[in-house]
Amino acid sequence: SVERGLPALPDDFASRARVVRSHREGYVQAVEYDVLTRSATRRDALVVLECRAGAFVAEQAWLARVHPPESLDEAFAHEIRQAVLIGGQRTPVQDLEFSIRHLVDVAVRALSFALHDPNT
């Protein structure tokens, strides 16, 4: 079935998809979707990301699942890891929540007394 214009996952996705794990920990700063799309298209594979920009991932956390499993080799896994940019702090590049949080912080501080800063 098709929901919201997206095709359904293959019936055997949950049981057969292989996992690509992170090699480092930190915040997902951005995802290079065009790189992922080209890599997956070349291999006729489906890549489902398990994280989004702004999320914290631990070392060895699931970054993505790939179907069919035989399409995933070490080169493809490396391309997926390279397309998910992980760093030490969140950035506003693709992380809308991060930017909104900063705006809320400014507004809360502007509306409160100097001694009643909720963040200190």
Side-chain angles (χ1 to χ4, degrees), residues 3-33:
E3 187 175 315
R4 288 190 240 154
L6 299 174
L9 292 174
D11 292 335
D12 61 349
F13 181 84
S15 62
R16 293 195 62 225
R18 289 186 51 203
V19 174
V20 176
R21 295 179 182 270
S22 171
H23 281 176
R24 60 185 298 198
E25 74 174 21
Y27 292 95
V28 177
Q29 295 177 332
V31 178
E32 295 178 331
Y33 294 104

PDB file of all heavy atoms in Angstrom, residues 3-33:
ATOM      1  N   GLU A   3       1.241   5.078   1.405  1.00  0.00           N
ATOM      2  CA  GLU A   3       0.760   6.000   2.423  1.00  0.00           C
ATOM      3  C   GLU A   3       1.476   7.323   2.253  1.00  0.00           C
ATOM      4  O   GLU A   3       2.702   7.375   2.236  1.00  0.00           O
ATOM      5  CB  GLU A   3       1.053   5.413   3.803  1.00  0.00           C
ATOM      6  CG  GLU A   3       0.457   6.206   4.940  1.00  0.00           C
ATOM      7  CD  GLU A   3       0.680   5.511   6.262  1.00  0.00           C
ATOM      8  OE1 GLU A   3       0.473   4.291   6.339  1.00  0.00           O
ATOM      9  OE2 GLU A   3       1.076   6.210   7.209  1.00  0.00           O
ATOM     10  N   ARG A   4       0.723   8.406   2.114  1.00  0.00           N
ATOM     11  CA  ARG A   4       1.276   9.753   1.939  1.00  0.00           C
ATOM     12  C   ARG A   4       2.255   9.821   0.776  1.00  0.00           C
ATOM     13  O   ARG A   4       3.272  10.490   0.854  1.00  0.00           O
ATOM     14  CB  ARG A   4       1.947  10.226   3.217  1.00  0.00           C
ATOM     15  CG  ARG A   4       0.958  10.567   4.296  1.00  0.00           C
ATOM     16  CD  ARG A   4       1.652  11.244   5.437  1.00  0.00           C
ATOM     17  NE  ARG A   4       1.428  10.423   6.601  1.00  0.00           N
ATOM     18  CZ  ARG A   4       2.195  10.359   7.646  1.00  0.00           C
ATOM     19  NH1 ARG A   4       3.281  11.068   7.716  1.00  0.00           N
ATOM     20  NH2 ARG A   4       1.914   9.611   8.658  1.00  0.00           N
ATOM     21  N   GLY A   5       2.010   9.090  -0.276  1.00  0.00           N
ATOM     22  CA  GLY A   5       2.850   9.166  -1.458  1.00  0.00           C
ATOM     23  C   GLY A   5       4.138   8.374  -1.371  1.00  0.00           C
ATOM     24  O   GLY A   5       4.936   8.386  -2.293  1.00  0.00           O
ATOM     25  N   LEU A   6       4.380   7.682  -0.259  1.00  0.00           N
ATOM     26  CA  LEU A   6       5.593   6.889  -0.116  1.00  0.00           C
ATOM     27  C   LEU A   6       5.285   5.423  -0.392  1.00  0.00           C
ATOM     28  O   LEU A   6       4.273   4.899   0.076  1.00  0.00           O
ATOM     29  CB  LEU A   6       6.158   7.016   1.308  1.00  0.00           C
ATOM     30  CG  LEU A   6       6.563   8.419   1.742  1.00  0.00           C
ATOM     31  CD1 LEU A   6       6.970   8.409   3.205  1.00  0.00           C
ATOM     32  CD2 LEU A   6       7.695   8.926   0.884  1.00  0.00           C
ATOM     33  N   PRO A   7       6.143   4.744  -1.137  1.00  0.00           N
ATOM     34  CA  PRO A   7       5.903   3.319  -1.381  1.00  0.00           C
ATOM     35  C   PRO A   7       6.113   2.518  -0.098  1.00  0.00           C
ATOM     36  O   PRO A   7       6.856   2.914   0.787  1.00  0.00           O
ATOM     37  CB  PRO A   7       6.951   2.957  -2.438  1.00  0.00           C
ATOM     38  CG  PRO A   7       7.997   4.006  -2.313  1.00  0.00           C
ATOM     39  CD  PRO A   7       7.328   5.234  -1.799  1.00  0.00           C
ATOM     40  N   ALA A   8       5.427   1.403  -0.014  1.00  0.00           N
ATOM     41  CA  ALA A   8       5.549   0.529   1.156  1.00  0.00           C
ATOM     42  C   ALA A   8       6.924  -0.150   1.151  1.00  0.00           C
ATOM     43  O   ALA A   8       7.532  -0.372   0.099  1.00  0.00           O
ATOM     44  CB  ALA A   8       4.457  -0.519   1.131  1.00  0.00           C
ATOM     45  N   LEU A   9       7.407  -0.456   2.332  1.00  0.00           N
ATOM     46  CA  LEU A   9       8.654  -1.208   2.447  1.00  0.00           C
ATOM     47  C   LEU A   9       8.420  -2.631   1.964  1.00  0.00           C
ATOM     48  O   LEU A   9       7.301  -3.153   2.064  1.00  0.00           O
ATOM     49  CB  LEU A   9       9.123  -1.240   3.903  1.00  0.00           C
ATOM     50  CG  LEU A   9       9.581   0.083   4.498  1.00  0.00           C
ATOM     51  CD1 LEU A   9       9.880  -0.085   5.980  1.00  0.00           C
ATOM     52  CD2 LEU A   9      10.794   0.611   3.773  1.00  0.00           C
ATOM     53  N   PRO A  10       9.446  -3.289   1.453  1.00  0.00           N
ATOM     54  CA  PRO A  10       9.286  -4.695   1.063  1.00  0.00           C
ATOM     55  C   PRO A  10       8.816  -5.523   2.264  1.00  0.00           C
ATOM     56  O   PRO A  10       9.159  -5.224   3.416  1.00  0.00           O
ATOM     57  CB  PRO A  10      10.706  -5.108   0.647  1.00  0.00           C
ATOM     58  CG  PRO A  10      11.400  -3.823   0.309  1.00  0.00           C
ATOM     59  CD  PRO A  10      10.789  -2.784   1.193  1.00  0.00           C
ATOM     60  N   ASP A  11       8.041  -6.558   2.010  1.00  0.00           N
ATOM     61  CA  ASP A  11       7.488  -7.386   3.083  1.00  0.00           C
ATOM     62  C   ASP A  11       8.565  -7.974   3.984  1.00  0.00           C
ATOM     63  O   ASP A  11       8.357  -8.146   5.180  1.00  0.00           O
ATOM     64  CB  ASP A  11       6.630  -8.520   2.508  1.00  0.00           C
ATOM     65  CG  ASP A  11       5.364  -7.993   1.847  1.00  0.00           C
ATOM     66  OD1 ASP A  11       4.920  -6.887   2.217  1.00  0.00           O
ATOM     67  OD2 ASP A  11       4.832  -8.687   0.966  1.00  0.00           O
ATOM     68  N   ASP A  12       9.715  -8.277   3.412  1.00  0.00           N
ATOM     69  CA  ASP A  12      10.786  -8.908   4.196  1.00  0.00           C
ATOM     70  C   ASP A  12      11.814  -7.893   4.710  1.00  0.00           C
ATOM     71  O   ASP A  12      12.894  -8.266   5.157  1.00  0.00           O
ATOM     72  CB  ASP A  12      11.478  -9.998   3.384  1.00  0.00           C
ATOM     73  CG  ASP A  12      12.141  -9.469   2.120  1.00  0.00           C
ATOM     74  OD1 ASP A  12      11.896  -8.296   1.743  1.00  0.00           O
ATOM     75  OD2 ASP A  12      12.916 -10.223   1.509  1.00  0.00           O
ATOM     76  N   PHE A  13      11.464  -6.602   4.688  1.00  0.00           N
ATOM     77  CA  PHE A  13      12.430  -5.577   5.086  1.00  0.00           C
ATOM     78  C   PHE A  13      12.923  -5.789   6.519  1.00  0.00           C
ATOM     79  O   PHE A  13      14.115  -5.777   6.786  1.00  0.00           O
ATOM     80  CB  PHE A  13      11.833  -4.174   4.938  1.00  0.00           C
ATOM     81  CG  PHE A  13      12.786  -3.084   5.303  1.00  0.00           C
ATOM     82  CD1 PHE A  13      13.711  -2.621   4.377  1.00  0.00           C
ATOM     83  CD2 PHE A  13      12.797  -2.529   6.574  1.00  0.00           C
ATOM     84  CE1 PHE A  13      14.622  -1.628   4.701  1.00  0.00           C
ATOM     85  CE2 PHE A  13      13.694  -1.535   6.920  1.00  0.00           C
ATOM     86  CZ  PHE A  13      14.611  -1.099   5.975  1.00  0.00           C
ATOM     87  N   ALA A  14      12.013  -5.946   7.459  1.00  0.00           N
ATOM     88  CA  ALA A  14      12.395  -6.060   8.877  1.00  0.00           C
ATOM     89  C   ALA A  14      13.285  -7.265   9.140  1.00  0.00           C
ATOM     90  O   ALA A  14      14.219  -7.200   9.949  1.00  0.00           O
ATOM     91  CB  ALA A  14      11.155  -6.129   9.752  1.00  0.00           C
ATOM     92  N   SER A  15      13.056  -8.343   8.442  1.00  0.00           N
ATOM     93  CA  SER A  15      13.826  -9.564   8.713  1.00  0.00           C
ATOM     94  C   SER A  15      15.121  -9.645   7.919  1.00  0.00           C
ATOM     95  O   SER A  15      16.061 -10.327   8.345  1.00  0.00           O
ATOM     96  CB  SER A  15      12.972 -10.798   8.422  1.00  0.00           C
ATOM     97  OG  SER A  15      12.609 -10.838   7.051  1.00  0.00           O
ATOM     98  N   ARG A  16      15.213  -8.962   6.781  1.00  0.00           N
ATOM     99  CA  ARG A  16      16.384  -9.133   5.920  1.00  0.00           C
ATOM    100  C   ARG A  16      17.302  -7.917   5.824  1.00  0.00           C
ATOM    101  O   ARG A  16      18.463  -8.056   5.432  1.00  0.00           O
ATOM    102  CB  ARG A  16      15.936  -9.512   4.501  1.00  0.00           C
ATOM    103  CG  ARG A  16      15.304 -10.891   4.437  1.00  0.00           C
ATOM    104  CD  ARG A  16      15.193 -11.418   3.022  1.00  0.00           C
ATOM    105  NE  ARG A  16      16.506 -11.574   2.409  1.00  0.00           N
ATOM    106  CZ  ARG A  16      16.788 -11.183   1.167  1.00  0.00           C
ATOM    107  NH1 ARG A  16      15.885 -10.617   0.416  1.00  0.00           N
ATOM    108  NH2 ARG A  16      17.988 -11.367   0.674  1.00  0.00           N
ATOM    109  N   ALA A  17      16.809  -6.734   6.127  1.00  0.00           N
ATOM    110  CA  ALA A  17      17.632  -5.528   5.971  1.00  0.00           C
ATOM    111  C   ALA A  17      18.872  -5.614   6.862  1.00  0.00           C
ATOM    112  O   ALA A  17      18.810  -6.101   7.988  1.00  0.00           O
ATOM    113  CB  ALA A  17      16.823  -4.282   6.312  1.00  0.00           C
ATOM    114  N   ARG A  18      19.985  -5.145   6.338  1.00  0.00           N
ATOM    115  CA  ARG A  18      21.231  -5.125   7.099  1.00  0.00           C
ATOM    116  C   ARG A  18      21.455  -3.737   7.672  1.00  0.00           C
ATOM    117  O   ARG A  18      21.104  -2.734   7.073  1.00  0.00           O
ATOM    118  CB  ARG A  18      22.405  -5.530   6.208  1.00  0.00           C
ATOM    119  CG  ARG A  18      22.343  -7.028   5.883  1.00  0.00           C
ATOM    120  CD  ARG A  18      23.525  -7.544   5.137  1.00  0.00           C
ATOM    121  NE  ARG A  18      24.796  -7.184   5.765  1.00  0.00           N
ATOM    122  CZ  ARG A  18      25.934  -7.131   5.090  1.00  0.00           C
ATOM    123  NH1 ARG A  18      25.963  -7.385   3.799  1.00  0.00           N
ATOM    124  NH2 ARG A  18      27.052  -6.816   5.706  1.00  0.00           N
ATOM    125  N   VAL A  19      22.083  -3.696   8.823  1.00  0.00           N
ATOM    126  CA  VAL A  19      22.282  -2.462   9.575  1.00  0.00           C
ATOM    127  C   VAL A  19      23.661  -1.876   9.293  1.00  0.00           C
ATOM    128  O   VAL A  19      24.655  -2.602   9.248  1.00  0.00           O
ATOM    129  CB  VAL A  19      22.132  -2.730  11.089  1.00  0.00           C
ATOM    130  CG1 VAL A  19      22.485  -1.494  11.905  1.00  0.00           C
ATOM    131  CG2 VAL A  19      20.727  -3.204  11.407  1.00  0.00           C
ATOM    132  N   VAL A  20      23.699  -0.552   9.114  1.00  0.00           N
ATOM    133  CA  VAL A  20      24.958   0.191   9.042  1.00  0.00           C
ATOM    134  C   VAL A  20      25.080   0.930  10.363  1.00  0.00           C
ATOM    135  O   VAL A  20      24.183   1.684  10.741  1.00  0.00           O
ATOM    136  CB  VAL A  20      24.970   1.193   7.863  1.00  0.00           C
ATOM    137  CG1 VAL A  20      26.250   2.014   7.876  1.00  0.00           C
ATOM    138  CG2 VAL A  20      24.789   0.468   6.550  1.00  0.00           C
ATOM    139  N   ARG A  21      26.189   0.720  11.062  1.00  0.00           N
ATOM    140  CA  ARG A  21      26.389   1.301  12.385  1.00  0.00           C
ATOM    141  C   ARG A  21      27.376   2.467  12.324  1.00  0.00           C
ATOM    142  O   ARG A  21      28.273   2.489  11.492  1.00  0.00           O
ATOM    143  CB  ARG A  21      26.901   0.255  13.363  1.00  0.00           C
ATOM    144  CG  ARG A  21      25.898  -0.851  13.619  1.00  0.00           C
ATOM    145  CD  ARG A  21      26.456  -1.890  14.574  1.00  0.00           C
ATOM    146  NE  ARG A  21      25.531  -2.962  14.788  1.00  0.00           N
ATOM    147  CZ  ARG A  21      24.608  -2.980  15.735  1.00  0.00           C
ATOM    148  NH1 ARG A  21      24.488  -1.969  16.559  1.00  0.00           N
ATOM    149  NH2 ARG A  21      23.794  -4.004  15.867  1.00  0.00           N
ATOM    150  N   SER A  22      27.197   3.388  13.252  1.00  0.00           N
ATOM    151  CA  SER A  22      28.087   4.536  13.358  1.00  0.00           C
ATOM    152  C   SER A  22      29.457   4.101  13.856  1.00  0.00           C
ATOM    153  O   SER A  22      29.556   3.192  14.675  1.00  0.00           O
ATOM    154  CB  SER A  22      27.479   5.546  14.336  1.00  0.00           C
ATOM    155  OG  SER A  22      28.398   6.563  14.620  1.00  0.00           O
ATOM    156  N   HIS A  23      30.484   4.748  13.383  1.00  0.00           N
ATOM    157  CA  HIS A  23      31.844   4.490  13.860  1.00  0.00           C
ATOM    158  C   HIS A  23      32.299   5.542  14.858  1.00  0.00           C
ATOM    159  O   HIS A  23      33.436   5.514  15.306  1.00  0.00           O
ATOM    160  CB  HIS A  23      32.820   4.423  12.694  1.00  0.00           C
ATOM    161  CG  HIS A  23      32.769   3.111  11.989  1.00  0.00           C
ATOM    162  ND1 HIS A  23      33.492   2.854  10.861  1.00  0.00           N
ATOM    163  CD2 HIS A  23      32.079   1.974  12.236  1.00  0.00           C
ATOM    164  CE1 HIS A  23      33.271   1.624  10.444  1.00  0.00           C
ATOM    165  NE2 HIS A  23      32.403   1.070  11.262  1.00  0.00           N
ATOM    166  N   ARG A  24      31.412   6.488  15.186  1.00  0.00           N
ATOM    167  CA  ARG A  24      31.753   7.518  16.172  1.00  0.00           C
ATOM    168  C   ARG A  24      30.478   7.997  16.853  1.00  0.00           C
ATOM    169  O   ARG A  24      29.386   7.715  16.397  1.00  0.00           O
ATOM    170  CB  ARG A  24      32.498   8.671  15.521  1.00  0.00           C
ATOM    171  CG  ARG A  24      31.719   9.373  14.424  1.00  0.00           C
ATOM    172  CD  ARG A  24      32.505  10.431  13.720  1.00  0.00           C
ATOM    173  NE  ARG A  24      32.882  11.460  14.678  1.00  0.00           N
ATOM    174  CZ  ARG A  24      33.265  12.673  14.359  1.00  0.00           C
ATOM    175  NH1 ARG A  24      33.326  13.014  13.098  1.00  0.00           N
ATOM    176  NH2 ARG A  24      33.593  13.558  15.256  1.00  0.00           N
ATOM    177  N   GLU A  25      30.643   8.730  17.958  1.00  0.00           N
ATOM    178  CA  GLU A  25      29.481   9.279  18.628  1.00  0.00           C
ATOM    179  C   GLU A  25      29.452  10.789  18.464  1.00  0.00           C
ATOM    180  O   GLU A  25      30.475  11.412  18.217  1.00  0.00           O
ATOM    181  CB  GLU A  25      29.468   8.908  20.116  1.00  0.00           C
ATOM    182  CG  GLU A  25      30.458   9.648  20.963  1.00  0.00           C
ATOM    183  CD  GLU A  25      30.284   9.337  22.446  1.00  0.00           C
ATOM    184  OE1 GLU A  25      29.706   8.301  22.810  1.00  0.00           O
ATOM    185  OE2 GLU A  25      30.743  10.161  23.250  1.00  0.00           O
ATOM    186  N   GLY A  26      28.264  11.337  18.587  1.00  0.00           N
ATOM    187  CA  GLY A  26      28.092  12.772  18.473  1.00  0.00           C
ATOM    188  C   GLY A  26      26.712  13.097  17.938  1.00  0.00           C
ATOM    189  O   GLY A  26      25.835  12.243  17.880  1.00  0.00           O
ATOM    190  N   TYR A  27      26.543  14.351  17.558  1.00  0.00           N
ATOM    191  CA  TYR A  27      25.266  14.812  17.023  1.00  0.00           C
ATOM    192  C   TYR A  27      25.274  14.725  15.506  1.00  0.00           C
ATOM    193  O   TYR A  27      26.260  15.073  14.863  1.00  0.00           O
ATOM    194  CB  TYR A  27      25.002  16.263  17.442  1.00  0.00           C
ATOM    195  CG  TYR A  27      24.769  16.403  18.922  1.00  0.00           C
ATOM    196  CD1 TYR A  27      25.810  16.731  19.779  1.00  0.00           C
ATOM    197  CD2 TYR A  27      23.507  16.182  19.470  1.00  0.00           C
ATOM    198  CE1 TYR A  27      25.598  16.847  21.144  1.00  0.00           C
ATOM    199  CE2 TYR A  27      23.292  16.296  20.826  1.00  0.00           C
ATOM    200  CZ  TYR A  27      24.337  16.623  21.658  1.00  0.00           C
ATOM    201  OH  TYR A  27      24.128  16.733  23.004  1.00  0.00           O
ATOM    202  N   VAL A  28      24.161  14.289  14.946  1.00  0.00           N
ATOM    203  CA  VAL A  28      24.016  14.296  13.492  1.00  0.00           C
ATOM    204  C   VAL A  28      23.841  15.754  13.092  1.00  0.00           C
ATOM    205  O   VAL A  28      22.849  16.390  13.435  1.00  0.00           O
ATOM    206  CB  VAL A  28      22.825  13.447  13.034  1.00  0.00           C
ATOM    207  CG1 VAL A  28      22.660  13.545  11.519  1.00  0.00           C
ATOM    208  CG2 VAL A  28      22.993  12.000  13.464  1.00  0.00           C
ATOM    209  N   GLN A  29      24.846  16.297  12.413  1.00  0.00           N
ATOM    210  CA  GLN A  29      24.820  17.704  12.030  1.00  0.00           C
ATOM    211  C   GLN A  29      24.115  17.917  10.697  1.00  0.00           C
ATOM    212  O   GLN A  29      23.485  18.947  10.479  1.00  0.00           O
ATOM    213  CB  GLN A  29      26.243  18.256  11.983  1.00  0.00           C
ATOM    214  CG  GLN A  29      26.891  18.262  13.353  1.00  0.00           C
ATOM    215  CD  GLN A  29      28.324  18.747  13.324  1.00  0.00           C
ATOM    216  OE1 GLN A  29      29.027  18.603  12.325  1.00  0.00           O
ATOM    217  NE2 GLN A  29      28.767  19.304  14.434  1.00  0.00           N
ATOM    218  N   ALA A  30      24.216  16.961   9.812  1.00  0.00           N
ATOM    219  CA  ALA A  30      23.551  17.051   8.511  1.00  0.00           C
ATOM    220  C   ALA A  30      23.593  15.682   7.851  1.00  0.00           C
ATOM    221  O   ALA A  30      24.404  14.829   8.212  1.00  0.00           O
ATOM    222  CB  ALA A  30      24.239  18.082   7.614  1.00  0.00           C
ATOM    223  N   VAL A  31      22.712  15.506   6.890  1.00  0.00           N
ATOM    224  CA  VAL A  31      22.683  14.284   6.082  1.00  0.00           C
ATOM    225  C   VAL A  31      22.765  14.714   4.629  1.00  0.00           C
ATOM    226  O   VAL A  31      21.995  15.566   4.180  1.00  0.00           O
ATOM    227  CB  VAL A  31      21.396  13.470   6.331  1.00  0.00           C
ATOM    228  CG1 VAL A  31      21.362  12.236   5.440  1.00  0.00           C
ATOM    229  CG2 VAL A  31      21.270  13.086   7.802  1.00  0.00           C
ATOM    230  N   GLU A  32      23.703  14.151   3.903  1.00  0.00           N
ATOM    231  CA  GLU A  32      23.849  14.449   2.473  1.00  0.00           C
ATOM    232  C   GLU A  32      22.932  13.505   1.692  1.00  0.00           C
ATOM    233  O   GLU A  32      23.340  12.455   1.214  1.00  0.00           O
ATOM    234  CB  GLU A  32      25.310  14.304   2.059  1.00  0.00           C
ATOM    235  CG  GLU A  32      26.205  15.336   2.729  1.00  0.00           C
ATOM    236  CD  GLU A  32      27.665  15.163   2.368  1.00  0.00           C
ATOM    237  OE1 GLU A  32      28.095  14.022   2.076  1.00  0.00           O
ATOM    238  OE2 GLU A  32      28.371  16.183   2.386  1.00  0.00           O
ATOM    239  N   TYR A  33      21.672  13.914   1.577  1.00  0.00           N
ATOM    240  CA  TYR A  33      20.661  13.065   0.958  1.00  0.00           C
ATOM    241  C   TYR A  33      20.963  12.775  -0.506  1.00  0.00           C
ATOM    242  O   TYR A  33      20.684  11.673  -0.986  1.00  0.00           O
ATOM    243  CB  TYR A  33      19.276  13.700   1.102  1.00  0.00           C
ATOM    244  CG  TYR A  33      18.808  13.775   2.527  1.00  0.00           C
ATOM    245  CD1 TYR A  33      18.824  14.980   3.223  1.00  0.00           C
ATOM    246  CD2 TYR A  33      18.372  12.636   3.198  1.00  0.00           C
ATOM    247  CE1 TYR A  33      18.396  15.046   4.539  1.00  0.00           C
ATOM    248  CE2 TYR A  33      17.945  12.698   4.517  1.00  0.00           C
ATOM    249  CZ  TYR A  33      17.966  13.897   5.185  1.00  0.00           C
ATOM    250  OH  TYR A  33      17.557  13.968   6.496  1.00  0.00           O
TER     251      TYR A  33
END
